[in-house]
Amino acid sequence: MSDQTGNTPAPEKQTGFLGLVERAGNRLPDPAFIFFYLIIAMAVISTIAYFAGLEVEHPTRLDDSGNPVIVSAISALHPDVIRHLLVEMPEIFTGFHPLGYVLVVMLGAGVAERAGLFGTAMRAAVRDVPRLFLTPAVALAAMMGNLAADAAYVVLIPLAAVIFAAAGRHPVAGITAAFAGVSGGFSANLLPGQLDALLFGITEEAVVALDPAWTMNIAGNWYFIAAMTFLFLPVIWFVTDRIIEPRLGPWQGGTVAGSDDPDNDPDAEMTPGQKKGLAHAGIAVLIVALIWLFMTIDVVALVTGGSASLYGGNAPLFSSDTSLGTTQRLVPFFTSLVAGFMLLFIFAGVAYGRAAGTIKSHRDIVDMMAGAMKDMGYYLVLAFFAAYFVELFNESQLGLISAVNGANAIEASGLPLPIVLGLIVLFAALLNLFVGSASAKWALMAPVLVPMLMLLGVSPEMATAAYRVGDSGTNIITPLMVYFPLILVFARRWVPEFGIGSLTASMIPYSIWLIVTGILMTVAWVYLGLPLGPGAEVAYELPAATQ
């Protein structure tokens, strides 16, 4: 893309601390190679730990005499470890929990995105909004747009600029508000999505060391991320209208930039097919939701008082084990939500595409699914190296040893758990300045962080939630974020002299306010012990020690 003069100016060099971050980050290798180098480092560290005799008592396992099992560091050069890593290479890769979850959800999301449902829905959400509520409408659509993955960046952000300009407001303010919502509010949403599947898959890998029976629940942060949405919305609204837009000054340039693109024209009416498609997609979403409801609740048995049953027994997604509590009996429902969201996206995307004319045959659906898988190529490469790093970390026992020692150190410090979680948010935010990938950072942190917090009585869901808060807030101020240059190009279409320093300075107030708000929310959530999602609590109790 180019600016209004037809030329794309070269990005200006950033100075000061942000310049240091930019230069240091640019020297970092690709995240896939970061994991490769970490594997080599882990081989060296585990060997040193083995000869140093590092060991701890396992918190939940007893030997035949009833004493705690001693967990000792194992060298990556041990013959059994080498044999395992080489012989079971395919199983290590395909058994990496996040891999299956993400690919399944993306099969559905690819259909919805390529059929045009996500783009049209985002346009419909922000057009015809009164000027007073334009900022919160854009911010909310941006946060919800994360369900559409990359589409929110390439569709909503330039569209927000045109809508702001059409309303007589500065288009760059529209860009910053949308960018803050999409990227700064990366984890905030009213619905779980592919990010939940990705992160909880990594969490599940980390939990196994202490609680092999724990199962991933894609809705485990649902209440938390919904609360983030409602808290971040006024923050983005305030920063945009009271801090950023006054600094930008009044806009006098009209609505020229981007108006030649019909997808970026707020005055362009939706076609009858698009309107019909949105209506059909809404019906499809309702049908899928009802199907899941009926598979969780035996409505016939409920109405007849048990004299008749639709299934001849328990509903498929509700455990038949009456000795369990209601929450535990709903575990099949929670774990089925990955499949549920895939089917929801597929049916909604197909319903929209058939009505809008973007899907003409079943071959189009297959092509869209294949396109989504092509887009996941880089993730597959990253997942291969991440899977091997996590496996080697687990085999070395260093994750459990570090978690036990870390938990002991935190207990000895006397820090309250809410403060500990707040510090974890801050650490994740700082790390995010240098490693942009959410999954890469969590794969690095989870093997130590999750078991350590479990030992302190904090659930895996709460550990994941704290990480998500820190991962979001600093996305918008690091030039290492993959979409940062694209956002700069969008801004230069309206203000040609707008540089990387201008964009960074505009996003810093959002980042500060979002991080502060996120930390306060996390601390309050832990202090109050609020549920994080259906069946997901802040507190956690280790399973009883067994032989």
Side-chain angles (χ1 to χ4, degrees), residues 157-194:
I157 293 178
L159 178 63
V162 181
I163 292 174
F164 264 60
R169 300 180 59 181
H170 204 293
V172 173
I175 289 173
T176 59
F179 187 29
V182 173
S183 196
F186 184 60
S187 284
N189 215 300
L190 298 180
L191 293 170
Q194 56 260 43

Side-chain angles (χ1 to χ4, degrees), residues 294-305:
F294 289 144
M295 288 194 296
T296 306
I297 302 173
D298 190 339
V299 178
V300 173
L302 191 65
V303 171
T304 63

Side-chain angles (χ1 to χ4, degrees), residues 334-523:
F334 297 144
T335 53
S336 75
L337 288 177
V338 173
F341 275 101
M342 181 199 74
L343 293 176
L344 185 145
F345 287 140
I346 288 178
F347 283 110
V350 171
Y352 172 88
R354 296 292 290 185
T358 55
I359 294 179
K360 296 180 173 60
S361 73
H362 68 278
R363 290 181 175 83
D364 293 331
I365 301 173
V366 175
D367 288 342
M368 290 174 180
M369 288 182 171
M373 293 301 99
K374 289 177 183 176
D375 290 345
M376 296 301 292
Y378 173 76
Y379 174 72
L380 293 176
V381 175
L382 178 62
F384 176 81
F385 289 101
Y388 247 72
F389 168 75
V390 171
E391 186 72 14
L392 182 57
F393 202 45
N394 291 337
E395 287 292 313
S396 71
Q397 303 291 350
L398 290 181
L400 182 58
I401 292 172
S402 301
V404 171
N405 289 329
N408 291 337
I410 291 174
E411 283 185 326
S413 71
L415 281 175
L417 279 179
I419 302 301
V420 172
L421 269 294
L423 292 174
I424 287 171
V425 171
L426 190 58
F427 175 73
L430 293 174
L431 183 61
N432 192 41
L433 291 171
F434 300 95
V435 182
S437 168
S439 58
K441 285 194 302 296
W442 191 224
L444 289 172
M445 296 173 62
V448 173
L449 184 63
V450 172
M452 182 182 74
L453 290 175
M454 290 169 67
L455 292 170
L456 294 171
V458 177
S459 69
E461 291 89 352
M462 188 64 242
T464 307
Y467 165 73
R468 297 176 74 162
V469 174
D471 175 62
S472 296
T474 49
N475 275 335
I476 50 180
I477 62 172
T478 171
L480 304 179
M481 193 267 179
V482 292
Y483 283 104
F484 197 91
L486 178 65
I487 308 306
L488 181 61
V489 171
F490 288 154
R492 283 177 167 173
R493 297 175 70 185
W494 299 91
V495 182
E497 65 274 14
F498 204 81
I500 191 171
S502 306
L503 180 58
T504 304
S506 297
M507 301 313 298
I508 283 177
Y510 291 106
S511 184
I512 293 173
W513 278 85
L514 290 175
I515 287 293
V516 170
T517 302
I519 290 176
L520 292 176
M521 173 186 166
T522 303
V523 170

Side-chain angles (χ1 to χ4, degrees), residues 129-143:
V129 174
R131 190 178 190 275
L132 176 64
F133 299 107
L134 187 55
T135 302
V138 165
L140 179 60
M143 286 186 280

Side-chain angles (χ1 to χ4, degrees), residues 45-345:
I45 294 171
S46 64
T47 302
I48 295 173
Y50 168 73
F51 284 110
L54 288 183
E55 60 183 25
V56 295
E57 293 183 353
H58 198 289
T60 62
R61 294 181 190 169
L62 304 176
D63 60 22
D64 294 337
S65 302
N67 299 315
V69 170
I70 301 300
V71 177
S72 303
I74 300 174
S75 170
L77 301 181
H78 191 283
D80 290 343
V81 175
I82 294 175
R83 185 182 306 111
H84 168 68
L85 294 177
L86 295 180
V87 173
E88 299 184 30
M89 179 181 287
E91 290 80 3
I92 292 172
F93 178 39
T94 58
F96 189 49
H97 287 296
L99 185 62
Y101 297 143
V102 174
L103 293 181
V104 167
V105 174
M106 286 305 297
L107 276 174
V111 174
E113 179 181 355
R114 285 164 173 74
L117 171 60
F118 287 149
T120 302
M122 284 187 287
R123 288 179 59 206
V126 295
R127 70 185 311 271
D128 299 328
V129 174
R131 190 178 190 275
L132 176 64
F133 299 107
L134 187 55
T135 302
V138 165
L140 179 60
M143 286 186 280
M144 292 297 294
N146 278 313
L147 291 172
D150 296 349
Y153 288 97
V154 299
V155 173
L156 182 61
I157 293 178
L159 178 63
V162 181
I163 292 174
F164 264 60
R169 300 180 59 181
H170 204 293
V172 173
I175 289 173
T176 59
F179 187 29
V182 173
S183 196
F186 184 60
S187 284
N189 215 300
L190 298 180
L191 293 170
Q194 56 260 43
L195 180 63
D196 296 80
L198 172 64
L199 295 182
F200 274 115
I202 296 172
T203 302
E204 189 172 26
E205 289 271 1
V207 172
V208 171
L210 292 180
D211 189 356
W214 190 87
T215 55
M216 188 270 286
N217 171 11
I218 194 176
N221 281 167
W222 194 342
Y223 304 157
F224 188 86
I225 62 175
M228 282 177 66
T229 305
F230 289 115
L231 284 176
F232 283 3
L233 189 61
V235 169
I236 295 174
W237 189 357
F238 171 79
V239 173
T240 302
D241 290 5
R242 299 298 181 188
I243 300 177
I244 302 303
E245 196 164 13
R247 290 181 57 193
L248 293 170
W251 175 248
Q252 306 293 338
T255 60
V256 176
S259 60
D260 55 336
D261 184 349
D263 287 335
N264 289 346
D265 186 358
D267 296 321
E269 288 291 332
M270 286 192 296
T271 66
Q274 289 174 329
K275 293 179 181 178
K276 185 178 179 182
L278 286 179
H280 285 196
I283 294 172
V285 169
L286 179 61
I287 290 173
V288 173
L290 288 175
I291 290 173
W292 243 250
L293 176 65
F294 289 144
M295 288 194 296
T296 306
I297 302 173
D298 190 339
V299 178
V300 173
L302 191 65
V303 171
T304 63
S307 61
S309 173
L310 180 63
Y311 301 103
N314 246 46
L317 300 182
F318 192 74
S319 173
S320 59
D321 188 350
T322 55
S323 66
L324 299 175
T326 301
T327 299
Q328 286 72 32
R329 296 184 73 183
L330 282 170
V331 167
F333 166 76
F334 297 144
T335 53
S336 75
L337 288 177
V338 173
F341 275 101
M342 181 199 74
L343 293 176
L344 185 145
F345 287 140

